[in-house]
Amino acid sequence: FLLERSRTPDFKSLDRSWWIEPMQFSWLDQTATRGHTYFYRVAAVAPKQLSPQINGPRQPSHVLRRVLRKSRWIISAFTPVAHGVRARSAPVSSHANRMGKPILAIHCGAKHAYGIFRADIGYAVGGTPEHGTTHAILTKGVPGAAPQAIYQYSRYGTFAYHLHGFKPGGRYRVVLDLAEYYWTAPRKRLFAVFAHGHIKLTDVDIYLSAGGKDRATDDDFTVRANRQGAINLNFVSQRDNAQVNGIEVFRDGR
């Protein structure tokens, strides 16, 4: 595929963590062709005539949106990150490998803790918290599933979590607790998950994985904490909104 030489960035994925310096930004973007989704990071420079309108390197996001929404950006470079495969055509039976108790568990989108799940901590930018449903969520068939209440809340949109307190360079397993309580068919919600800017999951379809609406499922991946002892996660919408109900982090024993 070819990128336009001049374009407007997708502000849904504009994240302060991708800031380079005043007037220069980098963000994750995507395109799709023949059933595959390609992710890439774009480096861009704002037009010079906008310089007087942006004062300082850390303007609030709503100011950036107002000033730059209709501006044309000059693409200076792009780097392919990864490409995803076609979404699976049938529910999967395998589930996350939970090893012992999580060292961190987050009740995403909730203002209160529930058991070992802490209130929505680590949230960095983007997304909307929601108490999405009061319907019962079927957790049978998911080994070590989170409590039902965890699946009734979520954070959705394009957003990031920055989790701290881990051993620098340590290897961990991140488990995402998921339930589709809005859509009633597959392929209505698709999203990707990045860790430290590297793709971990793509074409995540909660409904398809769980086998229906109001059913629990999970997905997982391994990651190493960075030098600061942090795990940085980005959830990127592909179709409709990305969503996560709970995040659990385990020590990876392998």
PDB file of all heavy atoms in Angstrom, residues 47-78:
ATOM      1  N   PRO A  47       2.378  21.830   9.360  1.00  0.00           N
ATOM      2  CA  PRO A  47       2.763  22.953   8.501  1.00  0.00           C
ATOM      3  C   PRO A  47       3.322  24.117   9.304  1.00  0.00           C
ATOM      4  O   PRO A  47       2.884  24.391  10.423  1.00  0.00           O
ATOM      5  CB  PRO A  47       1.444  23.336   7.829  1.00  0.00           C
ATOM      6  CG  PRO A  47       0.619  22.086   7.880  1.00  0.00           C
ATOM      7  CD  PRO A  47       0.985  21.431   9.181  1.00  0.00           C
ATOM      8  N   LYS A  48       4.316  24.812   8.743  1.00  0.00           N
ATOM      9  CA  LYS A  48       4.999  25.881   9.458  1.00  0.00           C
ATOM     10  C   LYS A  48       4.059  27.013   9.853  1.00  0.00           C
ATOM     11  O   LYS A  48       4.252  27.654  10.885  1.00  0.00           O
ATOM     12  CB  LYS A  48       6.137  26.436   8.595  1.00  0.00           C
ATOM     13  CG  LYS A  48       7.283  25.460   8.395  1.00  0.00           C
ATOM     14  CD  LYS A  48       8.395  26.092   7.576  1.00  0.00           C
ATOM     15  CE  LYS A  48       9.557  25.117   7.384  1.00  0.00           C
ATOM     16  NZ  LYS A  48      10.658  25.717   6.591  1.00  0.00           N
ATOM     17  N   GLN A  49       3.030  27.243   9.063  1.00  0.00           N
ATOM     18  CA  GLN A  49       2.158  28.382   9.373  1.00  0.00           C
ATOM     19  C   GLN A  49       1.372  28.193  10.661  1.00  0.00           C
ATOM     20  O   GLN A  49       0.785  29.129  11.179  1.00  0.00           O
ATOM     21  CB  GLN A  49       1.187  28.636   8.215  1.00  0.00           C
ATOM     22  CG  GLN A  49       0.246  27.487   7.905  1.00  0.00           C
ATOM     23  CD  GLN A  49       0.800  26.570   6.830  1.00  0.00           C
ATOM     24  OE1 GLN A  49       2.015  26.458   6.694  1.00  0.00           O
ATOM     25  NE2 GLN A  49      -0.081  25.941   6.069  1.00  0.00           N
ATOM     26  N   LEU A  50       1.380  26.963  11.211  1.00  0.00           N
ATOM     27  CA  LEU A  50       0.665  26.721  12.454  1.00  0.00           C
ATOM     28  C   LEU A  50       1.514  26.988  13.687  1.00  0.00           C
ATOM     29  O   LEU A  50       1.006  27.012  14.795  1.00  0.00           O
ATOM     30  CB  LEU A  50       0.160  25.273  12.501  1.00  0.00           C
ATOM     31  CG  LEU A  50      -0.964  24.922  11.522  1.00  0.00           C
ATOM     32  CD1 LEU A  50      -1.303  23.458  11.631  1.00  0.00           C
ATOM     33  CD2 LEU A  50      -2.195  25.766  11.797  1.00  0.00           C
ATOM     34  N   SER A  51       2.816  27.187  13.496  1.00  0.00           N
ATOM     35  CA  SER A  51       3.722  27.353  14.626  1.00  0.00           C
ATOM     36  C   SER A  51       3.275  28.422  15.621  1.00  0.00           C
ATOM     37  O   SER A  51       3.310  28.208  16.835  1.00  0.00           O
ATOM     38  CB  SER A  51       5.141  27.659  14.127  1.00  0.00           C
ATOM     39  OG  SER A  51       5.637  26.573  13.372  1.00  0.00           O
ATOM     40  N   PRO A  52       2.861  29.611  15.175  1.00  0.00           N
ATOM     41  CA  PRO A  52       2.470  30.638  16.152  1.00  0.00           C
ATOM     42  C   PRO A  52       1.236  30.270  16.966  1.00  0.00           C
ATOM     43  O   PRO A  52       0.979  30.872  17.998  1.00  0.00           O
ATOM     44  CB  PRO A  52       2.192  31.860  15.257  1.00  0.00           C
ATOM     45  CG  PRO A  52       2.917  31.588  13.993  1.00  0.00           C
ATOM     46  CD  PRO A  52       2.828  30.103  13.805  1.00  0.00           C
ATOM     47  N   GLN A  53       0.450  29.282  16.488  1.00  0.00           N
ATOM     48  CA  GLN A  53      -0.792  28.937  17.170  1.00  0.00           C
ATOM     49  C   GLN A  53      -0.608  27.876  18.245  1.00  0.00           C
ATOM     50  O   GLN A  53      -1.521  27.576  18.996  1.00  0.00           O
ATOM     51  CB  GLN A  53      -1.823  28.437  16.143  1.00  0.00           C
ATOM     52  CG  GLN A  53      -2.146  29.467  15.076  1.00  0.00           C
ATOM     53  CD  GLN A  53      -3.195  28.957  14.123  1.00  0.00           C
ATOM     54  OE1 GLN A  53      -4.282  28.565  14.537  1.00  0.00           O
ATOM     55  NE2 GLN A  53      -2.889  28.971  12.837  1.00  0.00           N
ATOM     56  N   ILE A  54       0.585  27.273  18.290  1.00  0.00           N
ATOM     57  CA  ILE A  54       0.847  26.242  19.293  1.00  0.00           C
ATOM     58  C   ILE A  54       1.965  26.731  20.197  1.00  0.00           C
ATOM     59  O   ILE A  54       3.087  26.917  19.755  1.00  0.00           O
ATOM     60  CB  ILE A  54       1.247  24.917  18.634  1.00  0.00           C
ATOM     61  CG1 ILE A  54       0.140  24.460  17.687  1.00  0.00           C
ATOM     62  CG2 ILE A  54       1.517  23.861  19.690  1.00  0.00           C
ATOM     63  CD1 ILE A  54       0.441  23.157  17.000  1.00  0.00           C
ATOM     64  N   ASN A  55       1.644  26.968  21.447  1.00  0.00           N
ATOM     65  CA  ASN A  55       2.624  27.522  22.387  1.00  0.00           C
ATOM     66  C   ASN A  55       3.062  26.449  23.363  1.00  0.00           C
ATOM     67  O   ASN A  55       2.294  26.017  24.213  1.00  0.00           O
ATOM     68  CB  ASN A  55       2.017  28.701  23.147  1.00  0.00           C
ATOM     69  CG  ASN A  55       1.573  29.810  22.205  1.00  0.00           C
ATOM     70  OD1 ASN A  55       2.331  30.204  21.335  1.00  0.00           O
ATOM     71  ND2 ASN A  55       0.362  30.301  22.389  1.00  0.00           N
ATOM     72  N   GLY A  56       4.296  26.020  23.258  1.00  0.00           N
ATOM     73  CA  GLY A  56       4.808  25.019  24.184  1.00  0.00           C
ATOM     74  C   GLY A  56       4.587  23.611  23.683  1.00  0.00           C
ATOM     75  O   GLY A  56       3.759  23.364  22.821  1.00  0.00           O
ATOM     76  N   PRO A  57       5.298  22.658  24.262  1.00  0.00           N
ATOM     77  CA  PRO A  57       5.280  21.284  23.772  1.00  0.00           C
ATOM     78  C   PRO A  57       4.188  20.393  24.332  1.00  0.00           C
ATOM     79  O   PRO A  57       4.082  19.259  23.949  1.00  0.00           O
ATOM     80  CB  PRO A  57       6.659  20.766  24.206  1.00  0.00           C
ATOM     81  CG  PRO A  57       6.912  21.489  25.480  1.00  0.00           C
ATOM     82  CD  PRO A  57       6.323  22.869  25.283  1.00  0.00           C
ATOM     83  N   ARG A  58       3.371  20.895  25.264  1.00  0.00           N
ATOM     84  CA  ARG A  58       2.402  20.012  25.916  1.00  0.00           C
ATOM     85  C   ARG A  58       1.007  20.624  25.956  1.00  0.00           C
ATOM     86  O   ARG A  58       0.386  20.710  27.007  1.00  0.00           O
ATOM     87  CB  ARG A  58       2.862  19.699  27.345  1.00  0.00           C
ATOM     88  CG  ARG A  58       4.152  18.904  27.409  1.00  0.00           C
ATOM     89  CD  ARG A  58       3.896  17.428  27.132  1.00  0.00           C
ATOM     90  NE  ARG A  58       5.125  16.653  27.192  1.00  0.00           N
ATOM     91  CZ  ARG A  58       5.197  15.346  27.008  1.00  0.00           C
ATOM     92  NH1 ARG A  58       4.116  14.673  26.732  1.00  0.00           N
ATOM     93  NH2 ARG A  58       6.353  14.725  27.069  1.00  0.00           N
ATOM     94  N   GLN A  59       0.518  21.041  24.827  1.00  0.00           N
ATOM     95  CA  GLN A  59      -0.827  21.591  24.794  1.00  0.00           C
ATOM     96  C   GLN A  59      -1.847  20.484  25.079  1.00  0.00           C
ATOM     97  O   GLN A  59      -1.648  19.339  24.683  1.00  0.00           O
ATOM     98  CB  GLN A  59      -1.109  22.204  23.423  1.00  0.00           C
ATOM     99  CG  GLN A  59      -0.368  23.498  23.136  1.00  0.00           C
ATOM    100  CD  GLN A  59      -0.917  24.675  23.934  1.00  0.00           C
ATOM    101  OE1 GLN A  59      -1.919  24.543  24.627  1.00  0.00           O
ATOM    102  NE2 GLN A  59      -0.252  25.807  23.847  1.00  0.00           N
ATOM    103  N   PRO A  60      -2.948  20.807  25.767  1.00  0.00           N
ATOM    104  CA  PRO A  60      -4.002  19.816  25.995  1.00  0.00           C
ATOM    105  C   PRO A  60      -4.527  19.285  24.667  1.00  0.00           C
ATOM    106  O   PRO A  60      -4.509  19.977  23.649  1.00  0.00           O
ATOM    107  CB  PRO A  60      -5.081  20.608  26.747  1.00  0.00           C
ATOM    108  CG  PRO A  60      -4.365  21.757  27.353  1.00  0.00           C
ATOM    109  CD  PRO A  60      -3.264  22.101  26.392  1.00  0.00           C
ATOM    110  N   SER A  61      -5.010  18.039  24.689  1.00  0.00           N
ATOM    111  CA  SER A  61      -5.427  17.400  23.447  1.00  0.00           C
ATOM    112  C   SER A  61      -6.557  18.159  22.755  1.00  0.00           C
ATOM    113  O   SER A  61      -6.621  18.204  21.536  1.00  0.00           O
ATOM    114  CB  SER A  61      -5.870  15.967  23.730  1.00  0.00           C
ATOM    115  OG  SER A  61      -6.932  15.941  24.663  1.00  0.00           O
ATOM    116  N   HIS A  62      -7.477  18.789  23.538  1.00  0.00           N
ATOM    117  CA  HIS A  62      -8.579  19.489  22.883  1.00  0.00           C
ATOM    118  C   HIS A  62      -8.096  20.718  22.126  1.00  0.00           C
ATOM    119  O   HIS A  62      -8.683  21.118  21.120  1.00  0.00           O
ATOM    120  CB  HIS A  62      -9.656  19.875  23.905  1.00  0.00           C
ATOM    121  CG  HIS A  62      -9.247  20.964  24.860  1.00  0.00           C
ATOM    122  ND1 HIS A  62      -8.526  20.704  26.008  1.00  0.00           N
ATOM    123  CD2 HIS A  62      -9.442  22.305  24.828  1.00  0.00           C
ATOM    124  CE1 HIS A  62      -8.314  21.839  26.657  1.00  0.00           C
ATOM    125  NE2 HIS A  62      -8.841  22.824  25.959  1.00  0.00           N
ATOM    126  N   VAL A  63      -6.983  21.326  22.592  1.00  0.00           N
ATOM    127  CA  VAL A  63      -6.410  22.459  21.873  1.00  0.00           C
ATOM    128  C   VAL A  63      -5.806  21.976  20.555  1.00  0.00           C
ATOM    129  O   VAL A  63      -5.992  22.586  19.503  1.00  0.00           O
ATOM    130  CB  VAL A  63      -5.339  23.166  22.729  1.00  0.00           C
ATOM    131  CG1 VAL A  63      -4.657  24.268  21.917  1.00  0.00           C
ATOM    132  CG2 VAL A  63      -5.975  23.758  23.986  1.00  0.00           C
ATOM    133  N   LEU A  64      -5.091  20.861  20.615  1.00  0.00           N
ATOM    134  CA  LEU A  64      -4.507  20.308  19.398  1.00  0.00           C
ATOM    135  C   LEU A  64      -5.583  19.960  18.382  1.00  0.00           C
ATOM    136  O   LEU A  64      -5.438  20.219  17.196  1.00  0.00           O
ATOM    137  CB  LEU A  64      -3.680  19.074  19.734  1.00  0.00           C
ATOM    138  CG  LEU A  64      -2.424  19.310  20.572  1.00  0.00           C
ATOM    139  CD1 LEU A  64      -1.784  17.978  20.930  1.00  0.00           C
ATOM    140  CD2 LEU A  64      -1.439  20.181  19.824  1.00  0.00           C
ATOM    141  N   ARG A  65      -6.661  19.379  18.858  1.00  0.00           N
ATOM    142  CA  ARG A  65      -7.736  19.007  17.937  1.00  0.00           C
ATOM    143  C   ARG A  65      -8.315  20.237  17.250  1.00  0.00           C
ATOM    144  O   ARG A  65      -8.559  20.245  16.052  1.00  0.00           O
ATOM    145  CB  ARG A  65      -8.831  18.251  18.693  1.00  0.00           C
ATOM    146  CG  ARG A  65      -8.457  16.830  19.052  1.00  0.00           C
ATOM    147  CD  ARG A  65      -9.619  16.150  19.770  1.00  0.00           C
ATOM    148  NE  ARG A  65      -9.363  14.739  19.978  1.00  0.00           N
ATOM    149  CZ  ARG A  65      -8.696  14.236  20.999  1.00  0.00           C
ATOM    150  NH1 ARG A  65      -8.209  15.047  21.917  1.00  0.00           N
ATOM    151  NH2 ARG A  65      -8.514  12.941  21.124  1.00  0.00           N
ATOM    152  N   ARG A  66      -8.553  21.287  18.039  1.00  0.00           N
ATOM    153  CA  ARG A  66      -9.176  22.493  17.487  1.00  0.00           C
ATOM    154  C   ARG A  66      -8.274  23.162  16.453  1.00  0.00           C
ATOM    155  O   ARG A  66      -8.717  23.594  15.396  1.00  0.00           O
ATOM    156  CB  ARG A  66      -9.506  23.470  18.613  1.00  0.00           C
ATOM    157  CG  ARG A  66     -10.258  24.719  18.112  1.00  0.00           C
ATOM    158  CD  ARG A  66     -10.711  25.592  19.274  1.00  0.00           C
ATOM    159  NE  ARG A  66      -9.594  26.157  20.010  1.00  0.00           N
ATOM    160  CZ  ARG A  66      -9.276  25.835  21.260  1.00  0.00           C
ATOM    161  NH1 ARG A  66     -10.005  24.934  21.909  1.00  0.00           N
ATOM    162  NH2 ARG A  66      -8.242  26.386  21.868  1.00  0.00           N
ATOM    163  N   VAL A  67      -6.982  23.213  16.754  1.00  0.00           N
ATOM    164  CA  VAL A  67      -6.049  23.926  15.889  1.00  0.00           C
ATOM    165  C   VAL A  67      -5.673  23.107  14.653  1.00  0.00           C
ATOM    166  O   VAL A  67      -5.543  23.645  13.559  1.00  0.00           O
ATOM    167  CB  VAL A  67      -4.769  24.303  16.675  1.00  0.00           C
ATOM    168  CG1 VAL A  67      -3.729  24.909  15.745  1.00  0.00           C
ATOM    169  CG2 VAL A  67      -5.103  25.282  17.791  1.00  0.00           C
ATOM    170  N   LEU A  68      -5.540  21.791  14.842  1.00  0.00           N
ATOM    171  CA  LEU A  68      -4.940  20.984  13.792  1.00  0.00           C
ATOM    172  C   LEU A  68      -5.902  20.085  13.027  1.00  0.00           C
ATOM    173  O   LEU A  68      -5.506  19.432  12.068  1.00  0.00           O
ATOM    174  CB  LEU A  68      -3.841  20.098  14.394  1.00  0.00           C
ATOM    175  CG  LEU A  68      -2.724  20.830  15.140  1.00  0.00           C
ATOM    176  CD1 LEU A  68      -1.757  19.824  15.740  1.00  0.00           C
ATOM    177  CD2 LEU A  68      -1.980  21.769  14.211  1.00  0.00           C
ATOM    178  N   ARG A  69      -7.173  20.048  13.439  1.00  0.00           N
ATOM    179  CA  ARG A  69      -8.106  19.091  12.846  1.00  0.00           C
ATOM    180  C   ARG A  69      -8.153  19.191  11.323  1.00  0.00           C
ATOM    181  O   ARG A  69      -8.177  18.186  10.609  1.00  0.00           O
ATOM    182  CB  ARG A  69      -9.505  19.281  13.424  1.00  0.00           C
ATOM    183  CG  ARG A  69     -10.492  18.231  12.918  1.00  0.00           C
ATOM    184  CD  ARG A  69     -11.863  18.435  13.544  1.00  0.00           C
ATOM    185  NE  ARG A  69     -11.809  18.280  14.992  1.00  0.00           N
ATOM    186  CZ  ARG A  69     -11.867  17.097  15.609  1.00  0.00           C
ATOM    187  NH1 ARG A  69     -11.949  15.993  14.901  1.00  0.00           N
ATOM    188  NH2 ARG A  69     -11.839  17.023  16.920  1.00  0.00           N
ATOM    189  N   LYS A  70      -8.183  20.413  10.790  1.00  0.00           N
ATOM    190  CA  LYS A  70      -8.318  20.586   9.349  1.00  0.00           C
ATOM    191  C   LYS A  70      -6.979  20.864   8.657  1.00  0.00           C
ATOM    192  O   LYS A  70      -6.944  21.232   7.482  1.00  0.00           O
ATOM    193  CB  LYS A  70      -9.302  21.716   9.060  1.00  0.00           C
ATOM    194  CG  LYS A  70     -10.717  21.422   9.539  1.00  0.00           C
ATOM    195  CD  LYS A  70     -11.675  22.554   9.173  1.00  0.00           C
ATOM    196  CE  LYS A  70     -13.088  22.235   9.643  1.00  0.00           C
ATOM    197  NZ  LYS A  70     -14.039  23.324   9.292  1.00  0.00           N
ATOM    198  N   SER A  71      -5.900  20.684   9.387  1.00  0.00           N
ATOM    199  CA  SER A  71      -4.593  20.988   8.815  1.00  0.00           C
ATOM    200  C   SER A  71      -4.069  19.794   8.028  1.00  0.00           C
ATOM    201  O   SER A  71      -4.402  18.644   8.311  1.00  0.00           O
ATOM    202  CB  SER A  71      -3.601  21.334   9.931  1.00  0.00           C
ATOM    203  OG  SER A  71      -4.089  22.410  10.702  1.00  0.00           O
ATOM    204  N   ARG A  72      -3.250  20.067   7.060  1.00  0.00           N
ATOM    205  CA  ARG A  72      -2.593  19.025   6.297  1.00  0.00           C
ATOM    206  C   ARG A  72      -1.206  18.767   6.872  1.00  0.00           C
ATOM    207  O   ARG A  72      -0.445  19.704   7.112  1.00  0.00           O
ATOM    208  CB  ARG A  72      -2.474  19.423   4.825  1.00  0.00           C
ATOM    209  CG  ARG A  72      -3.806  19.715   4.173  1.00  0.00           C
ATOM    210  CD  ARG A  72      -4.695  18.490   4.127  1.00  0.00           C
ATOM    211  NE  ARG A  72      -4.237  17.516   3.161  1.00  0.00           N
ATOM    212  CZ  ARG A  72      -4.826  16.335   2.979  1.00  0.00           C
ATOM    213  NH1 ARG A  72      -5.861  15.989   3.709  1.00  0.00           N
ATOM    214  NH2 ARG A  72      -4.355  15.506   2.070  1.00  0.00           N
ATOM    215  N   TRP A  73      -0.894  17.520   7.114  1.00  0.00           N
ATOM    216  CA  TRP A  73       0.385  17.146   7.696  1.00  0.00           C
ATOM    217  C   TRP A  73       1.308  16.609   6.620  1.00  0.00           C
ATOM    218  O   TRP A  73       0.880  15.939   5.694  1.00  0.00           O
ATOM    219  CB  TRP A  73       0.185  16.076   8.775  1.00  0.00           C
ATOM    220  CG  TRP A  73      -0.427  16.627  10.012  1.00  0.00           C
ATOM    221  CD1 TRP A  73      -1.663  17.196  10.150  1.00  0.00           C
ATOM    222  CD2 TRP A  73       0.169  16.664  11.292  1.00  0.00           C
ATOM    223  NE1 TRP A  73      -1.862  17.581  11.436  1.00  0.00           N
ATOM    224  CE2 TRP A  73      -0.760  17.270  12.173  1.00  0.00           C
ATOM    225  CE3 TRP A  73       1.388  16.256  11.801  1.00  0.00           C
ATOM    226  CZ2 TRP A  73      -0.494  17.468  13.510  1.00  0.00           C
ATOM    227  CZ3 TRP A  73       1.646  16.448  13.133  1.00  0.00           C
ATOM    228  CH2 TRP A  73       0.708  17.045  13.977  1.00  0.00           C
ATOM    229  N   ILE A  74       2.567  16.871   6.772  1.00  0.00           N
ATOM    230  CA  ILE A  74       3.557  16.378   5.833  1.00  0.00           C
ATOM    231  C   ILE A  74       4.182  15.101   6.393  1.00  0.00           C
ATOM    232  O   ILE A  74       4.824  15.123   7.441  1.00  0.00           O
ATOM    233  CB  ILE A  74       4.660  17.429   5.568  1.00  0.00           C
ATOM    234  CG1 ILE A  74       4.012  18.774   5.181  1.00  0.00           C
ATOM    235  CG2 ILE A  74       5.614  16.944   4.483  1.00  0.00           C
ATOM    236  CD1 ILE A  74       3.113  18.686   3.965  1.00  0.00           C
ATOM    237  N   ILE A  75       3.967  13.997   5.712  1.00  0.00           N
ATOM    238  CA  ILE A  75       4.514  12.729   6.158  1.00  0.00           C
ATOM    239  C   ILE A  75       6.021  12.721   5.916  1.00  0.00           C
ATOM    240  O   ILE A  75       6.484  12.885   4.788  1.00  0.00           O
ATOM    241  CB  ILE A  75       3.871  11.554   5.407  1.00  0.00           C
ATOM    242  CG1 ILE A  75       2.355  11.524   5.667  1.00  0.00           C
ATOM    243  CG2 ILE A  75       4.519  10.230   5.812  1.00  0.00           C
ATOM    244  CD1 ILE A  75       1.983  11.301   7.101  1.00  0.00           C
ATOM    245  N   SER A  76       6.801  12.525   6.965  1.00  0.00           N
ATOM    246  CA  SER A  76       8.246  12.530   6.824  1.00  0.00           C
ATOM    247  C   SER A  76       8.825  11.120   6.787  1.00  0.00           C
ATOM    248  O   SER A  76       9.885  10.885   6.223  1.00  0.00           O
ATOM    249  CB  SER A  76       8.894  13.313   7.969  1.00  0.00           C
ATOM    250  OG  SER A  76       8.531  12.760   9.218  1.00  0.00           O
ATOM    251  N   ALA A  77       8.116  10.162   7.396  1.00  0.00           N
ATOM    252  CA  ALA A  77       8.595   8.777   7.394  1.00  0.00           C
ATOM    253  C   ALA A  77       7.498   7.879   7.928  1.00  0.00           C
ATOM    254  O   ALA A  77       6.598   8.327   8.630  1.00  0.00           O
ATOM    255  CB  ALA A  77       9.845   8.639   8.262  1.00  0.00           C
ATOM    256  N   PHE A  78       7.563   6.610   7.565  1.00  0.00           N
ATOM    257  CA  PHE A  78       6.663   5.654   8.189  1.00  0.00           C
ATOM    258  C   PHE A  78       7.374   4.326   8.322  1.00  0.00           C
ATOM    259  O   PHE A  78       8.264   3.982   7.549  1.00  0.00           O
ATOM    260  CB  PHE A  78       5.359   5.493   7.397  1.00  0.00           C
ATOM    261  CG  PHE A  78       5.491   4.688   6.130  1.00  0.00           C
ATOM    262  CD1 PHE A  78       5.215   3.332   6.135  1.00  0.00           C
ATOM    263  CD2 PHE A  78       5.875   5.285   4.946  1.00  0.00           C
ATOM    264  CE1 PHE A  78       5.331   2.580   4.980  1.00  0.00           C
ATOM    265  CE2 PHE A  78       5.986   4.539   3.790  1.00  0.00           C
ATOM    266  CZ  PHE A  78       5.714   3.184   3.801  1.00  0.00           C
TER     267      PHE A  78
END
